[in-house]
Amino acid sequence: MKKTLLITGLAALSLGLVACGDSGATNAPASQQEQQNTSDEEAKKKADEEAAQKAKEEADKQALLEKTVYAEATKAAFPEITESQPELPQQTYDFIVANNTLFPAKTPEDIKKVKDMADKSITIKHLNKNATPYFNKVATFSGQVVSVEEKPINDQETLSLLHIIDDNDQSYQVLMFKSTGDILEEDQVRFWGIPAGPSSFSNVSGGTTNVQLFVGAHAEKQGK
């Protein structure tokens, strides 16, 4: 009786082991499939994250390009303003980037904004003494147009250069990336811009004209 029970017990144990073996063999493909599914999901998640990161980097790159386009164009054109080939100050460059919709100011809203930003306490005497502290401030001056030049860059953009002299024979050169509109030589005008340091050029009398350079935001005939 005991022997029979023992055999029966061994047989049961043997069947249990076989069953376990069978169960493992049966479940193995399912487990592998689950692992494969998990692996595929992780790969897809990683690919999605990489795609999102790439899209963000491209968007950031485009946004930076839009903010720096006029600053870079100004930096490239600046050495051509006068014979001394001046360089655009870094502070002025950074201010243009930070206020990229104002240089130039094209909409009525932006024109009003740049006018409101002007520090009217800045005089030519301050700039002649040391222009550096004002490289990140909007200033405004008025005078008579000595010369005005415009050069189309493409179908939408125009590069303008104004030479203005005030009642005290102080000269200003204003580089601006938009048309000056109806402004002509000998017109009385007011301009708004950011100081960019002193320079000089040879005049028709054989002497030298000292000027203060500006990156212009807006210019208009006096009285408007």
Side-chain angles (χ1 to χ4, degrees), residues 140-199:
T140 180
F141 293 93
S142 62
Q144 186 179 57
V145 177
V146 177
S147 65
V148 54
E149 303 173 50
E150 291 190 354
K151 179 182 178 181
I153 299 174
N154 51 43
D155 293 339
Q156 297 179 334
E157 303 291 348
T158 298
L159 177 62
S160 300
L161 182 62
L162 283 158
H163 178 199
I164 297 167
I165 187 168
D166 66 17
D167 293 338
N168 297 312
D169 293 330
Q170 299 290 325
S171 287
Y172 311 83
Q173 289 272 68
V174 184
L175 180 73
M176 186 168 62
F177 278 90
K178 73 171 183 176
S179 172
T180 56
D182 60 353
I183 293 175
L184 299 172
E185 291 181 8
E186 300 183 357
D187 283 341
Q188 291 291 325
V189 300
R190 176 169 289 278
F191 72 88
W192 292 260
I194 179 170
S199 189

Side-chain angles (χ1 to χ4, degrees), residues 72-93:
E72 285 294 321
T74 302
K75 183 178 180 180
F78 215 68
E80 305 299 323
I81 296 180
T82 64
E83 299 166 0
S84 59
Q85 297 184 321
E87 293 184 0
L88 183 70
Q90 186 62 46
Q91 282 178 279
T92 305
Y93 178 98

Side-chain angles (χ1 to χ4, degrees), residues 104-141:
K106 293 184 176 181
T107 67
E109 292 78 14
D110 285 337
I111 291 172
K112 182 180 184 304
K113 183 176 180 180
V114 80
K115 287 181 177 181
D116 291 342
M117 288 174 64
D119 185 345
K120 296 179 181 179
S121 69
I122 301 173
T123 69
I124 190 63
K125 292 180 180 180
H126 292 100
L127 299 182
N128 287 340
K129 179 181 179 180
N130 181 11
T132 304
Y134 310 102
F135 287 166
N136 59 354
K137 298 179 183 296
V138 176
T140 180
F141 293 93

